[in-house]
Amino acid sequence: MQPQDIKVLLVEDNPGDARLVQLLLDEVEGTRFGITHAESLRGAFRRLDAGSFDIILADLSLPDSSGLQTVERVRDRVSSVAVVVLSGQDDEETALQALETGAEDYLVKGRGDGEVISRSIRYSMQRKRAEQQLDYLKNYDRLTGLANRSLLRDRLAQAVARADREENNMLAVLFLSLDRFKAVNAEFGHSCGDAVLRVVGERIRNQIREGDTVARVGGDEFCLIVEDIEEAHEVISLVTRVLSVFEKPFVVDGQEISVNASVGISARPPSPGHRLLPEAEFAASRAKSQGSSTYQFC
């Protein structure tokens, strides 16, 4: 079995302490630690900009940062990498505060060998992966990978706040409901229906700008948040593009499946921010009652 490679960013201004960590980790069997050393937080940020790391080992006392501020600044800069504090302070209160601030573990210098540091690194990486997985499940739809209703509401609140600051820009919410999708599940099976929903999500995502949001908010319902709209006709153009993705049949396991959709639209102004989503949903139900592949403004 080949040794595992773990890329470590060691942020330590004391050359002797940095060398000791290197020697201790070199003695660990079964794992190869590639250590990049930075003597300051500024230097660490430069290295983070230049490459990726699996773990950050950081002293709390650096030339350009000290105490829990170091953990806070690292967390503000990068949230996806596990952080282990290597400190000369054998203080339980400081250790707890470091964990509350965002570190995955707290080690006291001179306490333990390379196996102790290695174990902390591996456990911290596992905790960070578990945390990210929980965040993903909380905010994203498992089937399509799109934002879910919870994340949609958060992004809508942020979009409304931005629209309030820039009075000349419109904000639109598009609520999209697939027409007669239950018949697809009944005829072709739920696994086939799930495959269609995934492709629907991909096709819609390809029609919007990078900064806009598309979410799956129900079994066969999707929602879009579109910002920075200067003219009302831009909304109509987007709705036309979104409806056009249903003109081509969806092919699943060699079977062609035709699906259509109805779209409801609300915009700010004139609608208040807290009414955008329910008004778009209501407009979609009105569009559905008037026939397939139609849209309605609230």
Side-chain angles (χ1 to χ4, degrees):
M1 181 181 295
Q2 291 295 320
Q4 179 186 2
D5 288 330
I6 295 179
K7 292 182 289 185
V8 179
L9 176 58
L10 176 60
V11 192
E12 171 62 70
D13 65 327
N14 186 312
D17 288 346
R19 180 58 178 162
L20 179 59
V21 171
Q22 175 77 70
L23 291 173
L24 290 174
L25 290 179
D26 284 345
E27 295 175 354
V28 177
E29 297 182 0
T31 304
R32 289 187 304 223
F33 294 94
I35 297 182
T36 298
H37 180 212
E39 296 183 349
S40 65
L41 196 58
R42 189 178 299 107
F45 288 162
R46 287 198 298 268
R47 285 158 178 79
L48 285 168
D49 290 338
S52 61
F53 295 90
D54 300 308
I55 190 84
I56 299 172
L57 302 183
D59 189 5
L60 291 182
S61 298
L62 299 169
D64 53 353
S65 184
S66 63
L68 297 177
Q69 180 190 58
T70 300
V71 180
E72 293 175 348
R73 292 176 62 186
V74 170
R75 272 288 159 255
D76 288 342
R77 186 64 173 258
V78 57
S79 61
S80 60
V81 182
V83 176
V84 173
V85 171
L86 276 177
S87 175
Q89 302 179 50
D90 185 5
D91 178 44
E92 184 175 351
E93 183 177 351
T94 300
L96 290 174
Q97 289 176 345
L99 298 178
E100 292 172 355
T101 304
E104 273 65 45
D105 203 358
Y106 185 99
L107 297 179
V108 179
K109 295 179 182 180
R111 298 285 182 85
D113 55 10
E115 288 292 344
V116 171
I117 302 175
S118 173
R119 190 180 305 115
S120 174
I121 288 173
R122 288 183 280 107
Y123 288 176
S124 295
M125 291 170 56
Q126 290 173 0
R127 282 194 290 271
K128 176 55 69 174
R129 283 194 291 266
E131 175 189 310
Q132 292 173 328
Q133 181 65 16
L134 288 174
D135 286 343
Y136 180 85
L137 294 176
K138 176 184 176 182
N139 293 304
Y140 291 91
D141 174 56
R142 298 186 187 187
L143 179 63
T144 63
L146 300 175
N148 61 18
R149 187 180 284 266
S150 174
L151 182 56
L152 175 79
R153 290 187 182 278
D154 287 344
R155 291 187 176 175
L156 181 56
Q158 295 171 13
V160 169
R162 285 191 290 269
D164 287 345
R165 291 194 299 268
E166 302 175 9
E167 297 180 358
N168 293 328
N169 286 334
M170 290 177 58
L171 163 67
V173 172
L174 280 60
F175 193 96
L176 183 148
S177 177
L178 302 188
D179 297 329
R180 296 183 293 276
F181 190 72
K182 290 182 179 179
V184 173
N185 284 329
E187 182 177 354
F188 299 99
H190 286 277
S191 62
C192 187
D194 288 347
V196 170
L197 290 172
R198 282 193 290 268
V199 179
V200 168
E202 292 174 4
R203 290 187 183 181
I204 294 175
R205 186 161 43 193
N206 290 334
Q207 298 301 319
I208 64 174
R209 299 167 302 183
E210 185 176 349
D212 295 330
T213 295
V214 56
R216 181 180 177 224
V217 294
D220 57 0
E221 297 170 333
F222 297 81
C223 191
L224 289 76
I225 301 174
V226 187
E227 300 185 62
D228 299 326
I229 301 169
E230 296 182 358
E231 301 289 343
H233 69 81
E234 296 177 29
V235 180
I236 303 300
S237 176
L238 174 59
V239 173
T240 302
R241 294 201 309 273
V242 169
L243 288 176
S244 72
V245 307
F246 298 94
E247 295 175 356
K248 182 180 179 181
F250 298 84
V251 180
V252 179
D253 295 332
Q255 301 179 95
E256 288 194 356
I257 303 173
S258 295
V259 176
N260 295 311
S262 300
V263 180
I265 309 158
S266 61
R268 177 176 179 81
S271 295
H274 70 282
R275 294 296 304 165
L276 287 171
L277 184 55
E279 286 184 352
E281 188 170 358
F282 178 71
S285 66
R286 287 174 49 203
K288 188 183 288 284
S289 68
Q290 295 182 10
S292 183
S293 300
T294 59
Y295 64 87
Q296 283 284 320
F297 283 86
C298 67

